[in-house]
Amino acid sequence: MRDVAIVGAGQTPYGDHPEAGIKELFASAFGAMADSVDRGFDATALDAAYVGSLGVGGSQLGITGASLTSHLGLTGLPVQRVENACASGGFALLDAVHAVGSGASDAVLAAGVEKMLDLSGDRSKYWLGVSGDTEYERLAGMTFAGVYAIAARRYLHETDAEREHLSRVAVKNHENGAVNPKAQFQREVSLERATGAPEIAAPLNLYDACPTTDGAACALVVPADEAREYTDDPVYVTGFGGGSDHLALHDRETITSLSAVREAAEAAYDRADKTPEDVDFAEVHDCFTIAELLAYEDLGFADRGEGWRLIAEGRTRRDGDLPVNTSGGLKAKGHPLGATGIGQVVEVFDQLRGDAGDRQVDGDVALSHNVGGSGGAATVFIYEVDA
């Protein structure tokens, strides 16, 4: 395969957008992406587009991609919606990387969009629930908070982690979100408040869960050897991988580790010829705080059962040796389902190019990790400024 690079990336602010539909959100993100391409960008040069979306609450379940690109005047462009629940954006990027890397395309849009906050409470729960096991777990009344609560309870039982370590993830990510102008929650949260929040599914409380969100994000993928035609500062995608697993917890070998993530990470590290120790910072899928602790281990940043030590020692804070979720993560930046994986790309792109403002950290090698549902699908990408 050819090497590939990202030469533009942009997103909407995440949050509540009552004035905008998915077309307007998509157009805003596309404009932000185009503005980030230093030498300009002709949209007619696009060969294809992949748009991640769970289905925007059913409002545009069919032919979502064409409804969005045609709004920009890009009729005739081959475009398809990519659905893998919360990992839809990550798989849209994976498809774009494959298309460019294979030589089939020379300029591909990877995008994601979701509009969740105009749904009623019951409808929102339904559209979140369809990403879980509908044959057993949903019929038994299981929610996503319940699924991750089971994992958290088991993790606290198997390891020396304490309940407070979950809350420390929330505190850290809110600190980062507070200095991200695109974040849904731009405010810090004290440890006392995070630990004392109302319980939603023991042992998880309100501050252990990410919000539902409106938002969109876009990234432009091109061959690496053409990247400097667009910018002097491309971001190279040197490693990538995807994985899958059973949807239902009762079908898995363990509920405190995600095999889909381990498979995706192994493929990404192998392709990039990197190890976890080479990663300078990461954006991980913290839909619940326990998910971030499990990611530390599944991505190889910590040994099995030892991930909690990274948060306890402050190593994943912005001033630590392995900053994680400098954007605020899903927890504070927000989680517009299909857009989340591409939103992670935007943060990596800005960080590696030195454009992250008050969130800026040092590093030349970054990782992003996007998970669908409770671990049924996952992608991992490695990015570098020098390839």
Side-chain angles (χ1 to χ4, degrees), residues 277-295:
E277 290 74 21
D278 294 318
V279 175
D280 295 315
F281 64 91
E283 286 288 301
V284 308
H285 196 95
D286 60 323
C287 51
F288 294 89
T289 52
I290 181 61
E292 181 163 326
L293 297 187
L294 298 185

Side-chain angles (χ1 to χ4, degrees), residues 4 55 132 191 211 233 248 267 280 365:
V4 304
L191 182 60
D233 300 300
D280 295 315
V365 180

